[in-house]
Amino acid sequence: MTPLSQLLPGQYGKLVSLSPERAVDQRLMALGLLPGMVLKLVRRAPLGDPIAVEFGGQTVSLRMAEAESLWVDVAADCPIQKPKSTL
Amino acid sequence: MSSLRHLPMVALVGNPNTGKSTLFNALTGLRQRVGNYPGVTVARKSGQCDCGEGVKVELIDLPGLYSLSAASPDEQIVIDVLSGHVAQERRPEAIVVVADATNLLRNLFIASQLAELGLPMAIVLNQADVAEKQGLKIDTDLLSKRLGGIPVVLTSAWKGEGISQVRKAIATVLKQKTLMTQMVWPVELKEAFGKIAEKVQTDTRQTPLVASLQRLLFDTAPNAAERLHWPIHQREGVIREARDQVRRAGYNPLAAEPLIHYAHLRKILDGVVSGGLARALRSAAVDRILLHRVAGPFIFTSIMLGLFASVFWLAKFPMEWIQAGVDALKGVAAPALVQYPMLQSLIADGVIAGVGAFLVFLPQILILFFFIGILEDSGYMARAAFIMDRLFSWCGLNGKSFVPLLSGFACAIPGLLSTRTIEDPKARLATAFAVPFMSCSARFPVYALMCAAFIGPLYGPGWESIVMVGMHLIGLLFAVPTAFVLTRFVLRIRPQPFVLELPRYQLPKPRDVLWRMWQNAAEFISKAGTVIFAITIIVWALCYFPQNTQLADKIRAENPTLSANEVQLRAQAAGIEQSWMGRFGKAVQPIFDPCGFDWKITVGVLASFPAREVIVSTLGITYSIGQDAEADSQDLRQAMQQAKWTEGERVGKPIFSLAAVLALMVFFALCSQCGPTIATLAQESGGWKWAAASFFYMTFLAWVMAVIVYQVVIRLT
Ligand SMILES: Nc1nc2c(ncn2[C@@H]2O[C@H](COP(=O)(O)OP(=O)(O)O)[C@@H](O)[C@H]2O)c(=O)[nH]1
Ligand SMILES: [Mg+2]
């Protein structure tokens, strides 16, 4: 398990756990980021922070400090979601 | 719109950026703000919608939200409106959920939550044009059936397609009261709801909505309990117990809601959507360039420099025309009223100048909002925030603070108005507080006059430029710690996580952009405009009364050799000296004495509280150069260079010493001398509290810094 913020740009990961008591994680869950979901760190901002993360067919900007509670299993190069789960 | 109160009310609800406002405009024929930015809609927007068959409704456009857990005040408003908790507002009779057809799963989460409110509902799947381009096929009949037979309509609000079906759907919902099928909760959760319901009933004697019970169980924020007036000592134990029960059922109580809803929705959508793989590829390609590590900041800087240059230079021409128009009007009005000197002065220096005082802001506001509209609707604004966030996050602001602060260097008014694009209320207020510190173009004449008259001649053009640049940076230097302290220690607003959707790129529609530009300007005129006008009249009166009509005669009698023009200039100078403003200036001069200001500077400082650039013309009057003096007036420079203290321990020494000149500039850099800014700050922060706080804070800070500068420099020189 690695924190999401340590993925390399372009790398995929499968969300293992988040901290539901944090406001950020609540917002992300409302956006559909739930354990088991595959996500991709698309890129870092030019100054290194925040990061752009893609999941469920949307791209979202997250601050590193706010993303630290998201833990992922690095998936070697898993294509982001089959059409069915893209829904 | 009180005239619509007799009509049934229907609310548009949905995620930010789905096209609610666009749809609202199409349905009501009224136009309103359209943004490509999550959460722009804050005000209540309503309009009449004709649904055919004689059915007319009042439609309201609610702020966008992702979930009912009410993290922000905007979201709380939606929940309060929908549960009938807003004073003077009816509870809507039906909800139209607007969903983005290209991301149905996420968009239906809020619909699924809303179903628990028990209000009749229809669902609009908007952006059908994009969905089609992506090759998505949506079976609306199947979806409707799975959701309990509620109307499901596919539209493209942008192209105006499917609008009449939406009208029909609204009529159907009102007639048939179609309810979306509620999700079946696991029994453990149902029991938990029941437990809470029971206790609420005994404690508060109210029967809560199921939706409120869920908020009580799932939310960390106490908003729902506060709406029910359910005190913490009564609820704490019950809620903890209920959460324990949820936990025993194998769910984290704080994650249960989205988990269960999303699992439910995946089943609902199974077979409803097919195709669609080409999603967002184009946006990703554009992002590779616009967010590139090197090219990204470079493009960003170019765009922002372009924006700033436009606000600064393009606006210059219309501003000059407005100024010329105002002067021409004065030129016509003044001679016509020469028999009535007071009326003449009131019309020319009060009314006409007052109207000019706010008209002059319009070009900058219009231009800035034109560009903001393009940036938002194209999808770039979110990217700009993404690029800049790092520079602002440490002091409690965020990436979206950049455009307001940059605009502040041209003028604080458009800067303040553009803080509306910041969703986080805490960062929005802190940014609004920081904007007036930016060195606006009205400070420029003051620096120019002082530098040209004193710094340049004494220390050369090199130092002149250094001082000039320094003065432009000093505001920033104080704004940043101010924002830091404000967000860290003062503002008791819960900060929002900076989770920002990077929407897909899209070509902005000129009509939308122009309309939004006009709406912002109209709001500025109607709200801040009146205040600015009033302030101008008040300051005019303070400088005009009490008027001694014999002044000119007295001066002429004492100095028979003076020309008529000279007499008039001296009479003006004497007039302002004995006006309320002059007397007040003399009375409070001791306060400004430690900054090295004599009574003339003090009067200038006081008279320029409504608008700082007034200092130049006020000094013009007090130094008998005439009120038309400009920053580059040789006469005024000379008069100031020769001015000496006439009393006190500094008698015979020049008033404008290096220390006093620097102190005066620092004072102007930091002081809140702009009536329109205060009025706009009050408008944008929702009350006079923050406007007053900003005024006193900046003014006090300016005074302290001016004293420090004067006292230090006078000892060094
Ligand atoms: N392609 C497309 N764009 C749309 C449609 N409806 C709205 N938009 C755009 O989506 C963005 C957000 O629209 P807006 O009405 O402000 O969304 P709101 O935040 O839900 O009020 C704007 O740039 C609109 O021009 C549509 O049907 N198709
Ligand atoms: Mg809107």
Side-chain angles (χ1 to χ4, degrees):
Chain A
M1 273 204 311
T2 8
L4 167 66
S5 52
Q6 296 198 350
L7 286 191
L8 298 172
Q11 229 174 7
Y12 293 87
K14 191 171 190 176
L15 187 68
V16 177
S17 72
L18 31 66
S19 310
E21 64 285 350
R22 289 166 54 107
V24 200
D25 299 44
Q26 297 242 329
R27 164 63 50 89
L28 290 171
M29 287 191 295
L31 292 175
L33 186 61
L34 298 164
M37 189 134 203
V38 176
L39 43 76
K40 175 187 179 185
L41 193 146
V42 184
R43 61 167 39 80
R44 289 170 197 287
L47 295 171
D49 188 17
I51 52 179
V53 179
E54 190 184 317
F55 60 89
Q58 59 199 326
T59 311
V60 161
S61 150
L62 274 182
R63 284 182 180 162
M64 301 269 272
E66 292 179 335
E68 71 189 359
S69 57
L70 300 172
W71 289 82
V72 297
D73 271 338
V74 182
D77 78 314
C78 159
I80 197 148
Q81 264 116 59
K82 301 280 181 297
K84 203 162 173 192
S85 50
T86 317
L87 286 178
Chain B
M1 240 175 265
S2 53
S3 62
L4 298 177
R5 291 194 71 92
H6 60 285
L7 299 173
M9 190 165 96
V10 175
L12 293 182
V13 194
N15 287 177
N17 254 347
T18 50
K20 290 179 299 303
S21 303
T22 314
L23 182 68
F24 174 79
N25 294 335
L27 286 171
T28 60
L30 263 185
R31 305 297 324 275
Q32 64 135 64
R33 269 187 84 96
V34 186
N36 201 13
Y37 219 35
V40 170
T41 325
V42 179
R44 176 185 194 267
K45 298 275 157 75
S46 94
Q48 180 176 322
C49 169
D50 194 338
C51 302
E53 302 167 35
V55 182
K56 290 197 170 92
V57 301
E58 180 189 20
L59 199 65
I60 55 171
D61 180 16
L62 289 173
L65 77 176
Y66 293 111
S67 140
L68 284 190
S69 53
S72 81
D74 281 15
E75 294 172 359
Q76 187 60 45
I77 283 180
V78 178
I79 297 158
D80 286 345
V81 168
L82 295 179
S83 36
H85 280 312
V86 177
Q88 324 245 310
E89 179 73 293
R90 302 170 289 160
R91 189 171 182 214
E93 286 180 31
I95 303 174
V96 175
V97 175
V98 184
D100 178 350
T102 64
N103 194 350
L104 263 189
L105 179 63
R106 187 196 83 194
N107 276 264
L108 288 186
F109 174 64
I110 187 77
S112 188
Q113 279 190 319
L114 289 168
E116 310 280 340
L117 282 166
L119 284 171
M121 194 192 289
I123 292 185
V124 171
L125 309 180
N126 192 37
Q127 314 221 2
D129 53 319
V130 187
E132 194 182 340
K133 247 188 246 161
Q134 294 180 359
L136 286 169
K137 292 207 175 47
I138 301 170
D139 187 342
T140 49
D141 291 338
L142 182 59
L143 183 58
S144 164
K145 212 174 93 208
R146 293 220 179 126
L147 297 179
I150 63 172
V152 175
V153 185
L154 202 58
T155 64
S156 169
W158 203 50
K159 287 189 166 174
E161 288 169 5
I163 306 300
S164 56
Q165 282 96 305
V166 178
R167 294 184 202 275
K168 228 186 279 162
I170 294 176
T172 310
V173 171
L174 286 174
K175 217 176 293 156
Q176 303 180 0
K177 308 276 177 224
T178 51
L179 294 173
M180 176 169 154
T181 314
Q182 291 185 3
M183 190 176 65
V184 183
W185 292 91
V187 296
E188 295 90 345
L189 275 93
K190 264 200 225 152
E191 277 169 22
F193 299 153
K195 264 192 195 149
I196 297 177
E198 227 171 83
K199 196 74 186 350
V200 171
Q201 238 151 2
T202 47
D203 286 349
T204 71
R205 289 170 205 294
Q206 302 172 64
T207 314
L209 295 169
V210 185
S212 315
L213 298 174
Q214 294 169 3
R215 303 281 46 92
L216 290 169
L217 181 63
F218 297 132
D219 290 359
T220 36
N223 304 20
E226 279 162 13
R227 291 296 177 284
L228 291 166
H229 303 287
W230 195 21
I232 186 153
H233 64 271
Q234 287 185 333
R235 68 178 191 248
E236 231 175 10
V238 195
I239 292 181
R240 196 179 321 116
E241 225 172 88
R243 284 187 183 160
D244 282 344
Q245 182 161 3
V246 175
R247 212 168 276 124
R248 279 197 298 276
Y251 292 102
N252 179 330
L254 297 178
E257 194 186 23
L259 270 173
I260 297 171
H261 274 293
Y262 269 101
H264 165 70
L265 287 171
R266 273 180 214 283
K267 266 185 253 149
I268 296 255
L269 286 177
D270 187 36
V272 168
V273 186
S274 54
L277 275 173
R279 209 205 127 81
L281 282 184
R282 233 173 21 146
S283 285
V286 179
D287 270 346
R288 263 195 287 282
I289 301 166
L290 294 187
L291 296 181
H292 185 267
R293 229 191 292 178
V294 182
F298 183 77
I299 296 169
F300 170 85
T301 311
S302 319
I303 291 177
M304 291 303 157
L305 276 181
L307 178 135
F308 181 72
S310 312
V311 174
F312 202 90
W313 297 110
L314 271 188
K316 241 186 156 147
F317 303 104
M319 282 167 87
E320 275 165 17
W321 300 334
I322 290 172
Q323 199 53 54
V326 166
D327 290 344
L329 211 58
K330 275 193 204 174
V332 174
L337 294 166
V338 79
Q339 266 100 351
Y340 316 96
M342 191 194 101
L343 197 63
Q344 180 194 32
S345 180
L346 171 66
I347 298 288
D349 300 329
V351 177
I352 298 180
V355 173
F358 70 80
L359 275 187
V360 96
F361 291 112
L362 275 187
Q364 286 182 332
I365 291 174
L366 291 173
I367 292 174
L368 180 70
F369 275 98
F370 177 75
F371 283 104
I372 287 183
I374 292 179
L375 292 180
E376 280 194 334
D377 281 5
S378 64
Y380 187 73
M381 193 67 120
R383 271 77 180 183
F386 179 69
I387 292 176
M388 288 313 280
D389 187 57
R390 187 69 246 275
L391 286 183
F392 290 97
S393 55
W394 67 273
C395 62
L397 305 180
N398 68 43
K400 291 194 182 174
S401 307
F402 180 79
V403 169
L405 291 176
L406 178 73
S407 319
F409 276 96
C411 175
I413 311 294
L416 286 173
L417 292 176
S418 62
T419 58
R420 290 173 188 185
T421 55
I422 305 172
E423 297 91 27
D424 177 6
K426 193 170 189 169
R428 189 192 306 149
L429 192 52
T431 308
F433 221 78
V435 164
F437 278 98
M438 302 303 112
S439 191
C440 68
S441 51
R443 285 168 170 108
F444 191 81
V446 185
Y447 305 153
L449 174 66
M450 294 298 151
C451 283
F454 302 101
I455 310 290
L458 292 178
Y459 302 94
W463 278 103
E464 198 177 327
S465 345
I466 291 173
V467 171
M468 217 48 174
V469 171
M471 287 302 149
H472 278 89
L473 291 182
I474 198 168
L476 201 58
L477 217 67
F478 282 90
V480 169
T482 299
F484 181 83
V485 170
L486 208 56
T487 50
R488 200 51 70 99
F489 306 110
V490 182
L491 294 178
R492 295 251 162 270
I493 310 169
R494 221 147 56 106
Q496 299 291 306
F498 191 66
V499 176
L500 183 70
E501 198 186 341
L502 301 178
R504 98 187 124 244
Y505 288 107
Q506 182 159 315
L507 223 56
K509 270 203 155 177
R511 198 188 54 187
D512 291 344
V513 172
L514 291 175
W515 174 254
R516 178 145 21 129
M517 171 180 105
W518 167 243
Q519 276 212 320
N520 278 293
E523 201 179 326
F524 169 74
I525 297 176
S526 68
K527 288 198 183 152
T530 42
V531 179
I532 297 169
F533 181 77
I535 292 174
T536 315
I537 301 276
I538 291 170
V539 172
W540 166 82
L542 288 177
C543 290
Y544 188 83
F545 294 108
Q547 186 74 350
N548 184 347
T549 42
Q550 274 98 55
L551 273 178
D553 300 335
K554 220 171 100 197
I555 291 167
R556 198 174 297 116
E558 282 169 10
N559 311 281
T561 54
L562 284 180
S563 72
N565 190 29
E566 289 269 299
V567 171
Q568 209 205 333
L569 291 177
R570 289 207 191 180
Q572 264 185 1
I576 199 167
E577 183 171 355
Q578 55 162 272
S579 69
W580 293 119
M581 187 63 92
R583 291 179 205 190
F584 184 57
K586 283 193 166 172
V588 300
Q589 189 272 335
I591 297 178
F592 289 99
D593 197 71
C595 331
F597 300 174
D598 74 335
W599 77 265
K600 286 182 183 177
I601 304 180
T602 305
V603 169
V605 165
L606 293 176
S608 50
F609 265 93
R612 40 178 73 85
E613 65 275 21
V614 167
I615 178 109
V616 179
S617 60
T618 311
L619 287 175
I621 296 175
T622 49
Y623 281 103
S624 304
I625 310 295
Q627 59 177 333
D628 300 330
E630 304 240 351
D632 51 6
S633 155
Q634 289 297 336
D635 295 343
L636 182 55
R637 280 186 210 170
Q638 259 175 19
M640 284 164 58
Q641 283 157 356
Q642 285 156 10
K644 301 253 166 19
W645 287 97
T646 53
E647 55 197 11
E649 62 208 40
R650 286 167 291 196
V651 73
K653 294 214 174 120
I655 292 175
F656 290 92
S657 58
L658 177 67
V661 166
L662 287 177
L664 185 60
M665 281 194 280
V666 167
F667 187 86
F668 269 79
L670 297 176
C671 189
S672 167
Q673 289 170 304
C674 182
T677 297
I678 301 296
T680 313
L681 190 54
Q683 174 192 316
E684 294 303 308
S685 63
W688 289 95
K689 192 175 99 184
W690 288 109
S694 160
F695 174 80
F696 288 113
Y697 171 67
M698 288 184 71
T699 305
F700 181 67
L701 185 68
W703 180 83
V704 170
M705 289 314 296
V707 171
I708 292 175
V709 167
Y710 183 76
Q711 297 300 340
V712 169
V713 177
I714 200 94
R715 281 171 176 76
L716 295 178
T717 49

